[in-house]
Amino acid sequence: MIETPYLLFLGDAPDMLSSKVAQGIKDWRPEFAVGQFRMEGCKADLKLPDMTLEEAKAAGVKTLVIGVANRGGYISPAWKKVLVMALEEGFDLASGLHNLLRDEPELAAVAEATGQTLHDVRVPSVEYPIANGVKRTGKRCLAVGTDCSVGKMYTALCMEKEMRARGMNADFRATGQTGILITGNGVPLDAVIADFMAGSVEWLTPDNDADHWDLIEGQGSLFHVSYSGVTMALIHGGQPDALIVCHEPTRVHMRGLPGYQLPQLEEVRDMALTLARVANPACQVVGYSINTQHMAEDEARAYLAEVESRLGLPATDPFRFGAANLVDALEAI
Amino acid sequence: MIETPYLLFLGDAPDMLSSKVAQGIKDWRPEFAVGQFRMEGCKADLKLPDMTLEEAKAAGVKTLVIGVANRGGYISPAWKKVLVMALEEGFDLASGLHNLLRDEPELAAVAEATGQTLHDVRVPSVEYPIANGVKRTGKRCLAVGTDCSVGKMYTALCMEKEMRARGMNADFRATGQTGILITGNGVPLDAVIADFMAGSVEWLTPDNDADHWDLIEGQGSLFHVSYSGVTMALIHGGQPDALIVCHEPTRVHMRGLPGYQLPQLEEVRDMALTLARVANPACQVVGYSINTQHMAEDEARAYLAEVESRLGLPATDPFRFGAANLVDALEAI
């Protein structure tokens, strides 16, 4: 559990794109995003108050979050100076970089001396159990994809926002680094030991109120040969009551796998549902989330209409057109 | 790679069952099993020559393999005395115990001082790549199961034995601790980090001769909610040309999961084949391996005949009745 609120560290970000973790926190947990910290040459701007460490302290900030990824994911000497000062000022640090905070002797020593915590969200900090498959109370929705990086995290976050706006009892459950930094907790599933993957998802989505929905961030795809085992563990550990199938229609091959075609929505629907019913016989596919960022609006709307008519379930781009029809489908369960 | 041949350490084994790792090595790699080392009170006997460390040294032994599991998987003080002496005599040590050799300060210190190697086969010793899904040369057969522990390792080992007897070019590929100790190498798949599971299976079964078969040890089951992600990684990383579906007909529920029924053979066949064809469109299910150890012989033969007639493919208990029909089916591909 990362303590909130955050000061978002943008460092010397070369462009906005490199700050997408910080942008995600601001978009999805604006109440955590008190200010930004930019160094000389920073080309990113979240339109948040620029704060010194002292100002952030006065504003109640608990953690400095590295919201920027530089090429290679390493911690530069210029950054390190700021990070050491932040620890000395009494902030915790949180990072999703490949280069772990704890592996930097200077940061480790200062954290030890000051009693502050280094959160490396790429590596698990919990000893997860082996999954037991016992039915849990409360309800769960899982986003599954035709491919990696088609918008499963955004789909779950959009649905959480819509559900909370309706007064529903719902929580996004992060299973990746960005999601964990956005919400302050979760499971870095791709870094979990094989035997404990499904158990870590059970741990993440425990018994809950009967009307509560976990919106579980999906990972990988059953049809992506590099990461399908992770997807499988989410389907069985997550015990979903509802599946949303996510897709990006303009992709020409599976991400990172030239020569591998994307599956049809029908294939993902049938495969994911059959497997999900092993853990939860009541599971249903309730809708389709289409990432239309590379399509013009009329093209996007035509595509969604075609999916709805062909597959007989609601379809939307939840980031562009809202998640209302997907949430209606959940409410109908 | 564990150096062979082995002296099989049985310690103070309370019964034969506790020595099944040693028994497996003797059964499947008799050329590695030069002798056994038994301590006072040992109730197991592999019918191998009892050897002192000196005798084993003279016989060319390179590694002392802990072929016994005591309750809890720990290393007792009485064992440790022998293990230290073995290191001092110039043997490597290999173990699949939960209690790692390297975590015992005394063993670690003596190994360091003597330059001998401690092989803890429960933990990976290789940095595996992320799977790239590129088609590899040579052929691969994977055992998939209705459940865990239904005989997938024995099926692959029986097939390897039959294929080698026919002069075929075949290698068992171990993915679990016992298989690794039997063959001296492999991937401890249940201990691999999620992102690298499929890549570790690609690493284990690289390009090979066109007529070469890898017989890949299966793990878990697509229908076992605790471990299905591991099975999924084997199906995609293994790129199998042939699948053998394994089953134990007398089991009343999934192993460790009361309330979970075993799937039908047809369900496993269809699910595994559909998923396998993502990585290898030419994949076929070629036969059924039935573990009949809890059935009388006539009952077993009747069950196999029923499976063959219902599913239209060869069925056998390869350990009891031989693997000839399964190997015929592979040869026909």
Short mmCIF file of all heavy atoms in Angstrom, two decimals, chain A residues 130-134 189-195 197-198 222-230 232-233 236 239 257 260 271 274-275 278-279, chain B residues 130-134 189-195 197-198 222-230 232-233 236 239 257 260 271 274-275 278-279:
data_model
loop_
_atom_site.label_atom_id
_atom_site.label_comp_id
_atom_site.label_asym_id
_atom_site.label_seq_id
_atom_site.Cartn_x
_atom_site.Cartn_y
_atom_site.Cartn_z
N ILE A 130 -1.14 -20.19 -2.87
CA ILE A 130 -1.59 -20.96 -4.04
C ILE A 130 -3.11 -20.84 -4.09
O ILE A 130 -3.78 -20.89 -3.05
CB ILE A 130 -1.11 -22.42 -3.94
CG1 ILE A 130 0.40 -22.46 -4.25
CG2 ILE A 130 -1.89 -23.34 -4.87
CD1 ILE A 130 1.04 -23.81 -4.11
N ALA A 131 -3.66 -20.67 -5.28
CA ALA A 131 -5.11 -20.48 -5.40
C ALA A 131 -5.86 -21.69 -4.86
O ALA A 131 -5.45 -22.82 -5.09
CB ALA A 131 -5.48 -20.25 -6.87
N ASN A 132 -6.98 -21.44 -4.16
CA ASN A 132 -7.77 -22.56 -3.65
C ASN A 132 -9.10 -22.71 -4.37
O ASN A 132 -9.84 -23.68 -4.13
CB ASN A 132 -8.00 -22.44 -2.13
CG ASN A 132 -8.80 -21.20 -1.76
OD1 ASN A 132 -9.56 -20.68 -2.58
ND2 ASN A 132 -8.65 -20.75 -0.53
N GLY A 133 -9.44 -21.76 -5.24
CA GLY A 133 -10.64 -21.90 -6.06
C GLY A 133 -11.96 -21.80 -5.31
O GLY A 133 -13.02 -22.00 -5.90
N VAL A 134 -11.92 -21.49 -4.01
CA VAL A 134 -13.16 -21.40 -3.23
C VAL A 134 -13.94 -20.17 -3.68
O VAL A 134 -13.38 -19.09 -3.87
CB VAL A 134 -12.84 -21.34 -1.72
CG1 VAL A 134 -14.11 -21.09 -0.91
CG2 VAL A 134 -12.14 -22.60 -1.27
N LEU A 189 1.46 -8.71 -11.63
CA LEU A 189 1.25 -10.12 -11.96
C LEU A 189 2.34 -10.70 -12.84
O LEU A 189 2.70 -11.87 -12.69
CB LEU A 189 -0.13 -10.28 -12.63
CG LEU A 189 -0.62 -11.71 -12.81
CD1 LEU A 189 -0.66 -12.49 -11.51
CD2 LEU A 189 -2.01 -11.70 -13.44
N ASP A 190 2.88 -9.90 -13.76
CA ASP A 190 3.88 -10.48 -14.66
C ASP A 190 5.19 -10.81 -13.93
O ASP A 190 6.05 -11.48 -14.49
CB ASP A 190 4.13 -9.58 -15.88
CG ASP A 190 4.64 -8.20 -15.51
OD1 ASP A 190 4.99 -7.97 -14.34
OD2 ASP A 190 4.69 -7.35 -16.41
N ALA A 191 5.32 -10.36 -12.69
CA ALA A 191 6.53 -10.65 -11.91
C ALA A 191 6.30 -11.69 -10.83
O ALA A 191 7.20 -11.99 -10.05
CB ALA A 191 7.06 -9.36 -11.28
N VAL A 192 5.10 -12.25 -10.78
CA VAL A 192 4.79 -13.25 -9.76
C VAL A 192 5.30 -14.62 -10.22
O VAL A 192 5.29 -14.94 -11.40
CB VAL A 192 3.26 -13.29 -9.50
CG1 VAL A 192 2.88 -14.44 -8.58
CG2 VAL A 192 2.79 -11.96 -8.91
N ILE A 193 5.75 -15.44 -9.26
CA ILE A 193 6.20 -16.81 -9.55
C ILE A 193 5.01 -17.65 -10.03
O ILE A 193 3.91 -17.56 -9.47
CB ILE A 193 6.77 -17.44 -8.25
CG1 ILE A 193 7.94 -16.60 -7.72
CG2 ILE A 193 7.11 -18.91 -8.44
CD1 ILE A 193 9.27 -17.02 -8.14
N ALA A 194 5.26 -18.46 -11.06
CA ALA A 194 4.20 -19.20 -11.76
C ALA A 194 3.18 -19.85 -10.83
O ALA A 194 1.97 -19.68 -11.00
CB ALA A 194 4.84 -20.26 -12.66
N ASP A 195 3.63 -20.59 -9.84
CA ASP A 195 2.72 -21.34 -8.97
C ASP A 195 1.76 -20.46 -8.19
O ASP A 195 0.75 -20.95 -7.69
CB ASP A 195 3.55 -22.14 -7.95
CG ASP A 195 3.48 -23.62 -8.22
OD1 ASP A 195 2.86 -24.03 -9.21
OD2 ASP A 195 4.07 -24.38 -7.42
N MET A 197 0.48 -17.35 -9.29
CA MET A 197 -0.22 -16.33 -10.10
C MET A 197 -1.71 -16.29 -9.77
O MET A 197 -2.25 -15.23 -9.43
CB MET A 197 -0.04 -16.63 -11.59
CG MET A 197 1.37 -16.49 -12.11
SD MET A 197 1.42 -16.67 -13.92
CE MET A 197 0.79 -18.33 -14.13
N ALA A 198 -2.39 -17.42 -9.90
CA ALA A 198 -3.84 -17.41 -9.66
C ALA A 198 -4.12 -17.05 -8.21
O ALA A 198 -5.09 -16.35 -7.91
CB ALA A 198 -4.44 -18.77 -10.02
N LEU A 222 -5.20 -14.63 -24.13
CA LEU A 222 -5.13 -16.09 -24.31
C LEU A 222 -4.52 -16.44 -25.65
O LEU A 222 -4.05 -17.56 -25.85
CB LEU A 222 -6.54 -16.70 -24.23
CG LEU A 222 -7.18 -16.71 -22.85
CD1 LEU A 222 -8.64 -17.14 -22.96
CD2 LEU A 222 -6.42 -17.65 -21.91
N PHE A 223 -4.52 -15.50 -26.60
CA PHE A 223 -4.01 -15.75 -27.94
C PHE A 223 -2.62 -15.15 -28.15
O PHE A 223 -2.13 -15.13 -29.27
CB PHE A 223 -5.01 -15.23 -28.98
CG PHE A 223 -6.29 -16.02 -28.99
CD1 PHE A 223 -7.29 -15.79 -28.05
CD2 PHE A 223 -6.48 -17.04 -29.92
CE1 PHE A 223 -8.46 -16.54 -28.05
CE2 PHE A 223 -7.64 -17.79 -29.92
CZ PHE A 223 -8.65 -17.54 -28.98
N HIS A 224 -2.00 -14.63 -27.09
CA HIS A 224 -0.64 -14.09 -27.21
C HIS A 224 0.31 -15.10 -26.59
O HIS A 224 0.35 -15.26 -25.37
CB HIS A 224 -0.53 -12.73 -26.51
CG HIS A 224 0.72 -12.00 -26.89
ND1 HIS A 224 1.97 -12.47 -26.56
CD2 HIS A 224 0.91 -10.87 -27.61
CE1 HIS A 224 2.88 -11.63 -27.05
NE2 HIS A 224 2.27 -10.67 -27.70
N VAL A 225 1.11 -15.77 -27.43
CA VAL A 225 1.89 -16.92 -26.94
C VAL A 225 2.92 -16.55 -25.88
O VAL A 225 3.34 -17.41 -25.12
CB VAL A 225 2.57 -17.69 -28.09
CG1 VAL A 225 1.51 -18.28 -29.02
CG2 VAL A 225 3.54 -16.82 -28.87
N SER A 226 3.34 -15.30 -25.81
CA SER A 226 4.33 -14.93 -24.80
C SER A 226 3.72 -14.81 -23.40
O SER A 226 4.40 -15.09 -22.40
CB SER A 226 5.00 -13.60 -25.14
OG SER A 226 5.43 -13.56 -26.48
N TYR A 227 2.48 -14.38 -23.33
CA TYR A 227 1.91 -14.00 -22.02
C TYR A 227 0.59 -14.69 -21.66
O TYR A 227 -0.04 -14.34 -20.68
CB TYR A 227 1.68 -12.47 -21.99
CG TYR A 227 2.89 -11.68 -22.36
CD1 TYR A 227 2.93 -10.89 -23.50
CD2 TYR A 227 4.04 -11.74 -21.57
CE1 TYR A 227 4.07 -10.16 -23.84
CE2 TYR A 227 5.18 -11.03 -21.90
CZ TYR A 227 5.18 -10.24 -23.04
OH TYR A 227 6.31 -9.53 -23.37
N SER A 228 0.18 -15.66 -22.46
CA SER A 228 -1.13 -16.28 -22.26
C SER A 228 -1.28 -16.93 -20.89
O SER A 228 -2.40 -17.00 -20.37
CB SER A 228 -1.40 -17.30 -23.37
OG SER A 228 -0.30 -18.21 -23.48
N GLY A 229 -0.18 -17.39 -20.29
CA GLY A 229 -0.28 -18.01 -18.98
C GLY A 229 -0.74 -17.03 -17.92
O GLY A 229 -1.46 -17.40 -16.98
N VAL A 230 -0.35 -15.78 -18.07
CA VAL A 230 -0.76 -14.75 -17.12
C VAL A 230 -2.27 -14.49 -17.27
O VAL A 230 -3.00 -14.37 -16.28
CB VAL A 230 0.06 -13.46 -17.37
CG1 VAL A 230 -0.40 -12.35 -16.44
CG2 VAL A 230 1.55 -13.74 -17.17
N MET A 232 -4.48 -16.59 -18.36
CA MET A 232 -5.16 -17.78 -17.83
C MET A 232 -5.31 -17.68 -16.31
O MET A 232 -6.38 -17.98 -15.75
CB MET A 232 -4.30 -18.99 -18.23
CG MET A 232 -4.84 -20.33 -17.89
SD MET A 232 -6.20 -20.81 -18.95
CE MET A 232 -7.53 -20.43 -17.83
N ALA A 233 -4.26 -17.25 -15.63
CA ALA A 233 -4.30 -17.13 -14.17
C ALA A 233 -5.32 -16.08 -13.73
O ALA A 233 -5.96 -16.23 -12.69
CB ALA A 233 -2.92 -16.79 -13.63
N HIS A 236 -8.85 -17.72 -14.06
CA HIS A 236 -9.18 -18.70 -13.02
C HIS A 236 -9.07 -18.11 -11.62
O HIS A 236 -9.91 -18.38 -10.77
CB HIS A 236 -8.33 -19.95 -13.18
CG HIS A 236 -8.84 -20.86 -14.26
ND1 HIS A 236 -8.11 -21.89 -14.79
CD2 HIS A 236 -10.04 -20.87 -14.90
CE1 HIS A 236 -8.85 -22.50 -15.72
NE2 HIS A 236 -10.01 -21.90 -15.81
N GLN A 239 -12.06 -15.53 -10.99
CA GLN A 239 -13.43 -16.06 -10.82
C GLN A 239 -14.47 -15.08 -11.35
O GLN A 239 -15.48 -14.81 -10.68
CB GLN A 239 -13.71 -16.27 -9.33
CG GLN A 239 -13.74 -17.67 -8.85
CD GLN A 239 -13.91 -17.76 -7.34
OE1 GLN A 239 -14.57 -16.93 -6.68
NE2 GLN A 239 -13.30 -18.77 -6.77
N LEU A 257 4.76 -9.94 -32.15
CA LEU A 257 4.78 -11.26 -32.78
C LEU A 257 4.39 -11.16 -34.26
O LEU A 257 3.28 -11.54 -34.64
CB LEU A 257 3.81 -12.22 -32.07
CG LEU A 257 4.01 -12.51 -30.59
CD1 LEU A 257 2.89 -13.40 -30.08
CD2 LEU A 257 5.36 -13.17 -30.33
N TYR A 260 1.81 -13.54 -36.34
CA TYR A 260 0.66 -14.00 -35.56
C TYR A 260 -0.51 -13.04 -35.78
O TYR A 260 -0.42 -11.85 -35.45
CB TYR A 260 1.00 -14.07 -34.07
CG TYR A 260 1.76 -15.32 -33.68
CD1 TYR A 260 3.14 -15.40 -33.86
CD2 TYR A 260 1.09 -16.41 -33.15
CE1 TYR A 260 3.84 -16.56 -33.51
CE2 TYR A 260 1.78 -17.57 -32.79
CZ TYR A 260 3.15 -17.63 -32.97
OH TYR A 260 3.83 -18.76 -32.63
N MET A 271 -13.51 -18.86 -26.12
CA MET A 271 -12.41 -19.47 -25.36
C MET A 271 -12.39 -18.96 -23.92
O MET A 271 -12.30 -19.74 -22.97
CB MET A 271 -11.09 -19.11 -26.07
CG MET A 271 -9.86 -19.64 -25.40
SD MET A 271 -9.80 -21.43 -25.35
CE MET A 271 -9.60 -21.78 -27.09
N THR A 274 -15.48 -20.29 -21.88
CA THR A 274 -15.38 -21.71 -21.52
C THR A 274 -14.41 -21.89 -20.35
O THR A 274 -14.70 -22.62 -19.39
CB THR A 274 -14.91 -22.53 -22.73
OG1 THR A 274 -15.77 -22.26 -23.83
CG2 THR A 274 -14.92 -24.02 -22.43
N LEU A 275 -13.28 -21.22 -20.42
CA LEU A 275 -12.29 -21.35 -19.34
C LEU A 275 -12.78 -20.69 -18.06
O LEU A 275 -12.58 -21.22 -16.96
CB LEU A 275 -10.96 -20.74 -19.79
CG LEU A 275 -10.20 -21.58 -20.83
CD1 LEU A 275 -9.08 -20.77 -21.48
CD2 LEU A 275 -9.64 -22.86 -20.20
N VAL A 278 -15.03 -22.73 -15.72
CA VAL A 278 -14.41 -23.73 -14.85
C VAL A 278 -14.43 -23.21 -13.41
O VAL A 278 -14.76 -23.94 -12.47
CB VAL A 278 -12.97 -24.04 -15.29
CG1 VAL A 278 -12.24 -24.92 -14.28
CG2 VAL A 278 -12.96 -24.69 -16.68
N ALA A 279 -14.08 -21.93 -13.24
CA ALA A 279 -14.00 -21.35 -11.90
C ALA A 279 -15.33 -20.75 -11.45
O ALA A 279 -15.60 -20.66 -10.26
CB ALA A 279 -12.91 -20.28 -11.85
N ILE B 130 11.79 -13.82 -22.88
CA ILE B 130 10.35 -13.76 -23.16
C ILE B 130 10.11 -14.53 -24.46
O ILE B 130 10.91 -14.44 -25.40
CB ILE B 130 9.89 -12.30 -23.25
CG1 ILE B 130 9.84 -11.70 -21.83
CG2 ILE B 130 8.52 -12.17 -23.92
CD1 ILE B 130 9.45 -10.26 -21.75
N ALA B 131 9.05 -15.31 -24.51
CA ALA B 131 8.78 -16.14 -25.69
C ALA B 131 8.61 -15.27 -26.92
O ALA B 131 7.97 -14.21 -26.85
CB ALA B 131 7.52 -16.98 -25.46
N ASN B 132 9.18 -15.73 -28.05
CA ASN B 132 9.01 -14.97 -29.30
C ASN B 132 8.09 -15.67 -30.30
O ASN B 132 7.77 -15.11 -31.34
CB ASN B 132 10.37 -14.66 -29.94
CG ASN B 132 11.10 -15.92 -30.37
OD1 ASN B 132 10.50 -16.95 -30.62
ND2 ASN B 132 12.41 -15.82 -30.48
N GLY B 133 7.68 -16.90 -30.00
CA GLY B 133 6.71 -17.58 -30.85
C GLY B 133 7.21 -17.98 -32.23
O GLY B 133 6.43 -18.46 -33.05
N VAL B 134 8.50 -17.79 -32.50
CA VAL B 134 9.03 -18.14 -33.82
C VAL B 134 9.04 -19.67 -33.96
O VAL B 134 9.43 -20.38 -33.05
CB VAL B 134 10.45 -17.57 -34.01
CG1 VAL B 134 11.07 -18.05 -35.33
CG2 VAL B 134 10.40 -16.04 -33.96
N LEU B 189 9.43 -25.20 -13.93
CA LEU B 189 8.49 -24.23 -14.49
C LEU B 189 7.62 -23.56 -13.44
O LEU B 189 7.30 -22.38 -13.55
CB LEU B 189 7.62 -24.91 -15.56
CG LEU B 189 6.75 -24.00 -16.41
CD1 LEU B 189 7.56 -22.93 -17.12
CD2 LEU B 189 5.97 -24.82 -17.43
N ASP B 190 7.25 -24.30 -12.39
CA ASP B 190 6.36 -23.69 -11.40
C ASP B 190 7.06 -22.60 -10.59
O ASP B 190 6.40 -21.85 -9.88
CB ASP B 190 5.71 -24.74 -10.50
CG ASP B 190 6.72 -25.56 -9.70
OD1 ASP B 190 7.91 -25.20 -9.69
OD2 ASP B 190 6.31 -26.55 -9.07
N ALA B 191 8.39 -22.50 -10.72
CA ALA B 191 9.13 -21.47 -9.99
C ALA B 191 9.61 -20.34 -10.89
O ALA B 191 10.31 -19.44 -10.43
CB ALA B 191 10.32 -22.11 -9.29
N VAL B 192 9.22 -20.36 -12.15
CA VAL B 192 9.64 -19.32 -13.09
C VAL B 192 8.72 -18.11 -12.96
O VAL B 192 7.52 -18.25 -12.70
CB VAL B 192 9.62 -19.88 -14.54
CG1 VAL B 192 9.87 -18.78 -15.57
CG2 VAL B 192 10.65 -21.00 -14.69
N ILE B 193 9.27 -16.90 -13.14
CA ILE B 193 8.49 -15.66 -13.09
C ILE B 193 7.51 -15.65 -14.28
O ILE B 193 7.88 -16.01 -15.40
CB ILE B 193 9.45 -14.46 -13.21
CG1 ILE B 193 10.47 -14.48 -12.07
CG2 ILE B 193 8.70 -13.15 -13.34
CD1 ILE B 193 10.13 -13.68 -10.89
N ALA B 194 6.28 -15.20 -14.00
CA ALA B 194 5.18 -15.28 -14.96
C ALA B 194 5.57 -14.87 -16.39
O ALA B 194 5.30 -15.58 -17.35
CB ALA B 194 4.01 -14.42 -14.46
N ASP B 195 6.20 -13.73 -16.54
CA ASP B 195 6.50 -13.21 -17.87
C ASP B 195 7.42 -14.11 -18.69
O ASP B 195 7.48 -13.96 -19.91
CB ASP B 195 7.19 -11.84 -17.74
CG ASP B 195 6.30 -10.72 -18.22
OD1 ASP B 195 5.14 -10.99 -18.59
OD2 ASP B 195 6.76 -9.57 -18.22
N MET B 197 7.58 -17.61 -18.44
CA MET B 197 7.20 -19.04 -18.47
C MET B 197 7.28 -19.62 -19.87
O MET B 197 7.97 -20.62 -20.11
CB MET B 197 5.78 -19.21 -17.93
CG MET B 197 5.61 -18.89 -16.47
SD MET B 197 3.93 -19.32 -15.90
CE MET B 197 2.93 -18.25 -16.92
N ALA B 198 6.57 -19.02 -20.81
CA ALA B 198 6.55 -19.57 -22.17
C ALA B 198 7.95 -19.51 -22.77
O ALA B 198 8.38 -20.43 -23.49
CB ALA B 198 5.54 -18.82 -23.03
N LEU B 222 -5.29 -27.31 -17.80
CA LEU B 222 -6.08 -26.12 -18.17
C LEU B 222 -7.33 -25.99 -17.31
O LEU B 222 -7.91 -24.91 -17.21
CB LEU B 222 -6.50 -26.19 -19.64
CG LEU B 222 -5.38 -26.00 -20.67
CD1 LEU B 222 -5.89 -26.31 -22.06
CD2 LEU B 222 -4.83 -24.57 -20.61
N PHE B 223 -7.74 -27.10 -16.68
CA PHE B 223 -8.96 -27.10 -15.88
C PHE B 223 -8.67 -27.09 -14.39
O PHE B 223 -9.57 -27.28 -13.58
CB PHE B 223 -9.82 -28.32 -16.27
CG PHE B 223 -10.37 -28.22 -17.66
CD1 PHE B 223 -9.60 -28.52 -18.77
CD2 PHE B 223 -11.67 -27.76 -17.87
CE1 PHE B 223 -10.09 -28.40 -20.07
CE2 PHE B 223 -12.18 -27.63 -19.15
CZ PHE B 223 -11.39 -27.95 -20.25
N HIS B 224 -7.40 -26.89 -14.01
CA HIS B 224 -7.06 -26.79 -12.58
C HIS B 224 -6.79 -25.33 -12.27
O HIS B 224 -5.77 -24.77 -12.68
CB HIS B 224 -5.83 -27.64 -12.26
CG HIS B 224 -5.65 -27.84 -10.79
ND1 HIS B 224 -5.35 -26.80 -9.93
CD2 HIS B 224 -5.77 -28.94 -10.01
CE1 HIS B 224 -5.28 -27.26 -8.69
NE2 HIS B 224 -5.54 -28.55 -8.71
N VAL B 225 -7.71 -24.70 -11.52
CA VAL B 225 -7.65 -23.24 -11.37
C VAL B 225 -6.39 -22.74 -10.67
O VAL B 225 -6.02 -21.58 -10.83
CB VAL B 225 -8.91 -22.68 -10.65
CG1 VAL B 225 -10.16 -22.96 -11.48
CG2 VAL B 225 -9.06 -23.22 -9.24
N SER B 226 -5.71 -23.60 -9.90
CA SER B 226 -4.50 -23.13 -9.23
C SER B 226 -3.31 -23.02 -10.17
O SER B 226 -2.44 -22.17 -9.99
CB SER B 226 -4.12 -24.08 -8.08
OG SER B 226 -5.22 -24.36 -7.25
N TYR B 227 -3.24 -23.91 -11.17
CA TYR B 227 -2.01 -24.05 -11.96
C TYR B 227 -2.21 -23.92 -13.47
O TYR B 227 -1.29 -24.18 -14.24
CB TYR B 227 -1.36 -25.41 -11.67
CG TYR B 227 -1.15 -25.67 -10.20
CD1 TYR B 227 -1.81 -26.70 -9.55
CD2 TYR B 227 -0.29 -24.86 -9.46
CE1 TYR B 227 -1.62 -26.93 -8.19
CE2 TYR B 227 -0.10 -25.08 -8.11
CZ TYR B 227 -0.76 -26.11 -7.48
OH TYR B 227 -0.57 -26.33 -6.13
N SER B 228 -3.41 -23.53 -13.91
CA SER B 228 -3.70 -23.54 -15.34
C SER B 228 -2.80 -22.61 -16.14
O SER B 228 -2.54 -22.85 -17.32
CB SER B 228 -5.17 -23.17 -15.56
OG SER B 228 -5.48 -21.96 -14.87
N GLY B 229 -2.30 -21.55 -15.50
CA GLY B 229 -1.42 -20.63 -16.22
C GLY B 229 -0.13 -21.30 -16.65
O GLY B 229 0.43 -20.99 -17.71
N VAL B 230 0.36 -22.21 -15.83
CA VAL B 230 1.58 -22.95 -16.16
C VAL B 230 1.33 -23.87 -17.36
O VAL B 230 2.13 -23.95 -18.29
CB VAL B 230 2.05 -23.75 -14.92
CG1 VAL B 230 3.28 -24.57 -15.26
CG2 VAL B 230 2.34 -22.81 -13.75
N MET B 232 -0.91 -23.44 -19.66
CA MET B 232 -1.07 -22.55 -20.82
C MET B 232 0.29 -22.19 -21.42
O MET B 232 0.49 -22.22 -22.65
CB MET B 232 -1.81 -21.30 -20.34
CG MET B 232 -2.17 -20.31 -21.39
SD MET B 232 -3.55 -20.85 -22.39
CE MET B 232 -2.64 -21.38 -23.81
N ALA B 233 1.25 -21.88 -20.56
CA ALA B 233 2.60 -21.50 -21.03
C ALA B 233 3.29 -22.68 -21.72
O ALA B 233 4.04 -22.49 -22.69
CB ALA B 233 3.44 -21.01 -19.86
N HIS B 236 1.71 -22.95 -25.29
CA HIS B 236 2.16 -21.94 -26.25
C HIS B 236 3.67 -21.92 -26.42
O HIS B 236 4.17 -21.79 -27.52
CB HIS B 236 1.61 -20.56 -25.86
CG HIS B 236 0.18 -20.39 -26.27
ND1 HIS B 236 -0.63 -19.39 -25.81
CD2 HIS B 236 -0.59 -21.13 -27.12
CE1 HIS B 236 -1.83 -19.51 -26.36
NE2 HIS B 236 -1.83 -20.55 -27.14
N GLN B 239 4.88 -25.16 -28.42
CA GLN B 239 4.58 -25.26 -29.86
C GLN B 239 4.38 -26.71 -30.28
O GLN B 239 4.93 -27.16 -31.30
CB GLN B 239 5.76 -24.71 -30.66
CG GLN B 239 5.57 -23.40 -31.29
CD GLN B 239 6.85 -22.91 -31.98
OE1 GLN B 239 7.65 -23.66 -32.53
NE2 GLN B 239 7.03 -21.60 -31.95
N LEU B 257 -8.78 -29.56 -4.83
CA LEU B 257 -9.92 -28.66 -5.04
C LEU B 257 -11.24 -29.41 -4.89
O LEU B 257 -11.93 -29.71 -5.87
CB LEU B 257 -9.86 -28.05 -6.45
CG LEU B 257 -8.63 -27.23 -6.85
CD1 LEU B 257 -8.74 -26.80 -8.30
CD2 LEU B 257 -8.46 -26.01 -5.95
N TYR B 260 -14.53 -29.23 -7.29
CA TYR B 260 -14.23 -29.08 -8.72
C TYR B 260 -14.19 -30.47 -9.36
O TYR B 260 -13.35 -31.30 -9.01
CB TYR B 260 -12.88 -28.38 -8.94
CG TYR B 260 -12.96 -26.87 -8.80
CD1 TYR B 260 -12.92 -26.27 -7.55
CD2 TYR B 260 -13.07 -26.07 -9.93
CE1 TYR B 260 -12.99 -24.89 -7.42
CE2 TYR B 260 -13.14 -24.70 -9.80
CZ TYR B 260 -13.10 -24.11 -8.55
OH TYR B 260 -13.18 -22.75 -8.42
N MET B 271 -10.19 -28.03 -25.92
CA MET B 271 -9.61 -26.80 -25.40
C MET B 271 -8.11 -26.74 -25.67
O MET B 271 -7.59 -25.73 -26.17
CB MET B 271 -9.88 -26.75 -23.89
CG MET B 271 -9.32 -25.57 -23.17
SD MET B 271 -10.04 -24.02 -23.75
CE MET B 271 -11.71 -24.22 -23.13
N THR B 274 -7.38 -26.29 -29.51
CA THR B 274 -7.66 -24.94 -30.02
C THR B 274 -6.56 -23.98 -29.59
O THR B 274 -6.07 -23.17 -30.40
CB THR B 274 -9.03 -24.45 -29.48
OG1 THR B 274 -10.01 -25.43 -29.81
CG2 THR B 274 -9.40 -23.12 -30.09
N LEU B 275 -6.15 -24.07 -28.34
CA LEU B 275 -5.09 -23.17 -27.85
C LEU B 275 -3.75 -23.51 -28.48
O LEU B 275 -2.98 -22.61 -28.84
CB LEU B 275 -5.01 -23.25 -26.33
CG LEU B 275 -6.18 -22.57 -25.60
CD1 LEU B 275 -6.23 -22.99 -24.13
CD2 LEU B 275 -6.08 -21.05 -25.71
N VAL B 278 -2.93 -22.01 -31.89
CA VAL B 278 -2.48 -20.61 -31.97
C VAL B 278 -0.99 -20.58 -32.28
O VAL B 278 -0.53 -19.81 -33.13
CB VAL B 278 -2.78 -19.87 -30.65
CG1 VAL B 278 -2.14 -18.48 -30.64
CG2 VAL B 278 -4.29 -19.78 -30.40
N ALA B 279 -0.23 -21.43 -31.61
CA ALA B 279 1.23 -21.44 -31.78
C ALA B 279 1.68 -22.37 -32.90
O ALA B 279 2.73 -22.15 -33.49
CB ALA B 279 1.91 -21.85 -30.47
#
